[in-house]
């Protein structure tokens, strides 16, 4: 539930306090972002439409844990009945896959399509971060286009099918929220929610978040501007 809920909550919170709310008439920036999202989805979903399962080891591990969760109706503490050892693995991603697979779609295909669809959101999150850093719509759109092109098409097959990919779109969003001069209570709650969710999906993503956010925080120092 985490990723769909994150997208919905993020959209509601970020739009709540904005003066330019989404109306029936879309502005040019919104149209361009919709096109970027459409191209991102097309370039990720179409190449894998005939694949039966994702590549490499990570999806196999996550899929096995998802199956154990479905069989036990909870997050198991061991690998039984497969192995009599303790399950020491972050449960976030496998829990999402288990929940989506409850609809009857095979686990391998859920992992295959879910990770690629989520990864298509990455250029939009880059736009969000760039708009906070550059404070220019045109330059932010260019950054989103570069993010789209940079991950096409090889990335889809190499890293677009593992648990780490499910956190990529959240990193720029969290970094962008951290750059806000004034963080409301709702945005603060969203910041905590995203960070905890990202850690549950893949703890290593917190390292990448630090690598992105700390240099920006040091360079821009939003708290200094807020104090002035």
């Amino acid at each position: 539930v985490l990723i769909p809920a994150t997208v919905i909550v993020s959209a509601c919170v970020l739009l709540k306090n904005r003066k330019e709310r989404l109306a029936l008439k879309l502005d040019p920036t919104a149209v361009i972002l919709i096109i970027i999202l459409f191209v991102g989805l097309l370039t990720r979903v179409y190449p894998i439409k005939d694949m039966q399962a994702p590549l490499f080891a990570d999806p196999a591990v996550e899929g096995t844990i998802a199956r154990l969760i479905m069989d036990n109706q909870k997050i198991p503490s061991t690998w039984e009945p497969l192995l009599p050892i303790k399950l020491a693995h972050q449960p976030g991603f496998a829990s999402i896959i288990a929940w989506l697979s409850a609809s009857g779609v095979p686990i391998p295909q859920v992992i295959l399509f879910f990770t690629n669809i989520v990864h298509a959101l990455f250029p939009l999150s880059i736009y969000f971060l760039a708009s906070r850093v550059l404070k220019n719509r045109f330059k932010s759109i260019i950054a989103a286009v570069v993010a789209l092109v940079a991950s096409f098409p090889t990335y889809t097959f190499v890293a677009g099918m593992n648990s780490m990919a499910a956190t990529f779109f959240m990193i720029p969003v969290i970094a962008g929220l951290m750059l806000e001069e004034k963080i409301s209570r709702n945005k603060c709650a969203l910041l905590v929610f995203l960070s905890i969710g990202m850690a549950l999906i893949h703890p290593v993503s917190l390292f990448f978040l630090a690598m992105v956010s700390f240099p920006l925080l040091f360079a821009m120092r939003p708290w200094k501007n807020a104090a002035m």
Side-chain angles (χ1 to χ4, degrees):
V1 185
L2 181 62
I3 298 299
T6 296
V7 175
I8 295 173
V9 172
S10 300
C12 292
V13 172
L14 295 177
L15 289 175
K16 182 178 180 181
N17 297 322
R18 291 179 64 90
K19 294 181 180 179
E20 58 274 12
R21 295 178 181 275
L22 184 64
L24 294 177
K25 183 179 179 181
L26 294 176
D27 60 59
T29 301
V31 173
I32 294 174
L33 292 177
I34 291 173
I35 293 174
I36 290 175
L37 176 61
F38 175 78
V39 174
L41 289 170
L42 181 64
T43 56
R44 283 159 179 79
V45 174
Y46 182 78
I48 63 174
K49 62 183 179 64
D50 295 323
M51 294 181 66
Q52 298 301 313
L55 307 176
F56 309 115
D58 188 86
V61 173
E62 298 291 351
T64 301
I65 297 174
R67 172 53 60 188
L68 291 175
I69 292 175
M70 295 178 68
D71 292 342
N72 290 276
Q73 297 298 305
K74 63 179 182 180
I75 298 175
S77 58
T78 68
W79 285 90
E80 294 181 352
L82 301 176
L83 291 171
I85 59 176
K86 183 179 180 180
L87 178 61
H89 194 280
Q90 63 274 5
F93 185 77
S95 300
I96 297 171
I97 299 304
W99 181 77
L100 293 175
S101 298
S103 61
V105 181
I107 289 177
Q109 292 190 351
V110 170
I111 297 176
L112 183 64
F113 283 91
F114 172 72
T115 50
N116 279 280
I117 290 174
V118 168
H119 196 248
L121 300 174
F122 181 67
L124 301 187
S125 65
I126 289 293
Y127 172 84
F128 176 78
L129 175 59
S131 64
R132 266 59 184 172
V133 176
L134 303 175
K135 302 186 184 303
N136 182 287
R137 281 192 176 189
F138 177 75
K139 293 179 181 179
S140 300
I141 290 175
I142 295 299
V145 172
V146 171
L148 174 65
V149 175
S151 59
F152 171 80
T154 307
Y155 206 149
T156 303
F157 296 97
V158 176
M161 303 174 186
N162 59 27
S163 55
M164 178 65 81
T167 67
F168 286 165
F169 86 98
M170 289 191 282
I171 293 176
V173 173
I174 296 175
L177 288 172
M178 294 173 67
L179 293 175
E180 295 279 353
E181 294 184 2
K182 295 182 180 179
I183 302 180
S184 64
R185 184 176 301 178
N186 289 336
K187 289 185 178 180
C188 184
L190 176 60
L191 185 63
V192 174
F193 178 78
L194 287 173
S195 300
I196 294 175
M198 193 167 62
L200 289 174
I201 294 174
H202 207 301
V204 179
S205 59
L206 295 177
F207 169 76
F208 292 105
L209 173 62
M211 295 295 290
V212 171
S213 59
F214 287 170
L216 290 174
L217 285 171
F218 180 78
M220 301 185 67
R221 289 178 285 186
W223 61 86
K224 182 177 180 180
N225 296 332
M228 296 175 62

